[in-house]
Amino acid sequence: AEYMGEDGTIHQSDRIGKFDTDRTISFIPPDGELILMKYRTQDNVNPPFRVLSPVVREMGRTRVEIEFKVKAEFSSRLFGTNVAITVPCPKNTASCKINTTTGKAKYEAEHHAIVWRIRRFPGGAEFRFTAEVQLISSTSGGNQQWSRPPISMAFQVPMYSALILSLI
């Protein structure tokens, strides 16, 4: 059986009594892999990456300029892997001229977004992204405003804890 806390679960191999008294997880690992703990929190979270100075300029009806920096907010001893930054574009995007300081970026029409892939992102590093997006001019007369969805990221940072959690 698993222990269910306020907003998480701890594997049955944990000595639950000790967790209840001093918030320490002590366990004897079984053979193979296991999920020791699942939890969800919204307080005291240190995000591993920060999007800095995002600017989106709509240059008339046929061009949008996008620029920002991404900084790794974790130790230089760690690194992010398989980082994918998704930059939404208007649905009427015709083409994109993209510049990045590292990695590869391309417009993916099926997602209406530019996807910037960085294989290895060192801790403390900061990389820049700029794009000039050419739009297909609309002849329908509909001046539908672009909603500017947020930039999103997918990544892995081995050995990084976004919480104040320590493994001893």
Side-chain angles (χ1 to χ4, degrees):
E2 292 183 338
Y3 170 78
M4 181 63 179
E6 285 179 34
D7 212 1
T9 60
I10 299 174
H11 189 269
Q12 65 186 7
S13 66
D14 176 46
R15 296 184 191 128
I16 294 168
K18 197 165 172 122
F19 182 76
D20 284 338
T21 58
D22 65 5
R23 305 313 255 182
T24 300
I25 296 174
S26 171
F27 70 102
I28 299 167
D31 290 338
E33 289 187 17
L34 81 135
I35 295 174
L36 176 64
M37 182 179 196
K38 291 182 184 181
Y39 60 91
R40 184 178 71 192
T41 186
Q42 294 175 325
D43 300 327
N44 300 319
V45 176
N46 299 318
F49 294 97
R50 227 175 260 294
V51 175
L52 306 170
S53 311
V55 177
V56 177
R57 289 185 211 92
E58 294 187 34
M59 313 295 285
R61 294 176 189 229
T62 60
R63 199 172 95 212
V64 174
E65 292 178 351
I66 304 168
E67 62 183 79
F68 62 91
K69 295 176 188 173
V70 176
K71 182 172 185 187
E73 296 285 333
F74 47 87
S75 165
S76 60
R77 292 177 294 189
L78 302 176
F79 54 89
T81 60
N82 303 317
V83 177
I85 303 164
T86 303
V87 183
C89 295
K91 289 190 191 297
N92 62 331
T93 297
S95 65
C96 299
K97 183 176 167 185
I98 307 162
N99 289 303
T100 62
T101 51
T102 194
K104 295 180 180 180
K106 71 175 188 173
Y107 177 66
E108 294 184 1
E110 64 276 11
H111 298 114
H112 304 292
I114 298 167
V115 179
W116 179 17
R117 289 183 169 77
I118 303 169
R119 200 175 301 172
R120 186 177 168 102
F121 201 129
E126 183 176 293
F127 298 123
R128 182 178 168 84
F129 173 97
T130 59
E132 185 178 302
V133 179
Q134 294 294 324
L135 307 175
I136 300 167
S137 56
S138 176
T139 56
S140 63
N143 290 335
Q144 189 175 12
Q145 187 71 17
W146 178 42
S147 66
R148 293 188 188 184
I151 295 168
S152 62
M153 293 183 71
F155 54 86
Q156 295 173 343
V157 183
M159 303 302 294
Y160 177 79
S161 175
L163 298 172
I164 305 167
L165 249 161
S166 300
L167 298 177
I168 301 172

